[in-house]
Amino acid sequence: MRLYIKHMVSLRCKLMVKQELKKLGLHYVIVELGMVEILENLTTEQQTLFKICLLNSGLELMEDKKIILIEDIKKVIIEMIRYSDDLPKLNYSQYISKKLNRDYAFLASSFSEIEGMTIEHYIINLKIERVKELVLFNENNLTEIAYLMHYSSVAHLSNQFKKVTGLTPSHFKQLQQKN
């Protein structure tokens, strides 16, 4: 049985979901970002308990097919930005369309309808969150970060960072170091 889970975006989420399944006596085959496949069919009681456990952790069991599609789009984008060492050489729209085997126009309109923002803005926000982490880790300079995140230049990265956060990357780093 396949279950779809909203807001499941990190390795920590996967571990928590595995623990909750184990507590309920359920056996998982696959636990991926946004999706779990279990051997058993859930009883009504198990489903209710699992929903409550997920909600207590900020996650949500999904049943609406459109919401599941949106979470699939997010999962592809998150994996692309956060967990892939090599961002796609194709443009993002072609990459997402190819990964989900769906027409990009349909994916984009569905995403905008449900999320209230475009896929492009979601990607930008996610990239900026990743840049924030890289800036704070202090392992790479801004030129290296721009290259890693596939920005055309440091100026482009800095402009986008300021547009999203209201701060320059260096000012952001200074504020975080004070805290």
Side-chain angles (χ1 to χ4, degrees), residues 121-166:
H121 280 102
Y122 183 77
I123 290 170
I124 289 169
N125 289 337
L126 204 58
K127 283 177 73 173
I128 294 303
E129 287 303 312
R130 182 71 178 129
V131 169
K132 285 179 184 178
E133 291 173 10
L134 293 170
V135 165
L136 292 177
F137 287 146
N138 209 18
E139 293 175 7
N140 305 95
N141 63 39
L142 213 48
T143 304
E144 293 167 333
I145 292 171
Y147 176 79
L148 284 170
M149 297 305 296
H150 289 261
Y151 282 95
S152 58
S153 66
V154 173
H156 182 215
L157 166 63
S158 295
N159 287 336
Q160 203 166 69
F161 192 95
K162 186 165 185 167
K163 195 180 289 185
V164 172
T165 66

Side-chain angles (χ1 to χ4, degrees), residues 2-62:
R2 234 173 226 202
L3 305 171
Y4 295 93
I5 302 172
K6 189 172 186 176
H7 308 302
M8 189 173 166
V9 296
S10 70
L11 299 176
R12 218 172 311 142
C13 292
K14 287 171 63 171
L15 288 173
M16 190 281 304
V17 168
K18 287 178 182 179
Q19 289 173 346
E20 294 303 329
L21 289 170
K22 190 175 181 179
K23 284 181 194 174
L24 292 170
L26 299 169
H27 303 91
Y28 59 86
V29 178
I30 300 170
V31 177
E32 294 179 351
L33 297 179
M35 191 274 295
V36 175
E37 193 169 311
I38 59 174
L39 294 174
E40 303 86 358
N41 286 322
L42 290 176
T43 64
T44 306
E45 183 183 345
Q46 286 174 320
Q47 186 172 2
T48 302
L49 289 172
F50 191 53
K51 278 183 180 180
I52 292 167
C53 292
L54 291 175
L55 285 172
N56 289 336
S57 299
L59 304 176
E60 185 179 336
L61 193 60
M62 297 183 295

Side-chain angles (χ1 to χ4, degrees), residues 136 166-179:
L136 292 177
L167 304 168
T168 64
S170 56
H171 191 206
F172 170 78
K173 186 175 182 176
Q174 289 170 353
L175 287 175
Q176 294 303 313
Q177 287 175 339
K178 285 180 184 177
N179 291 335

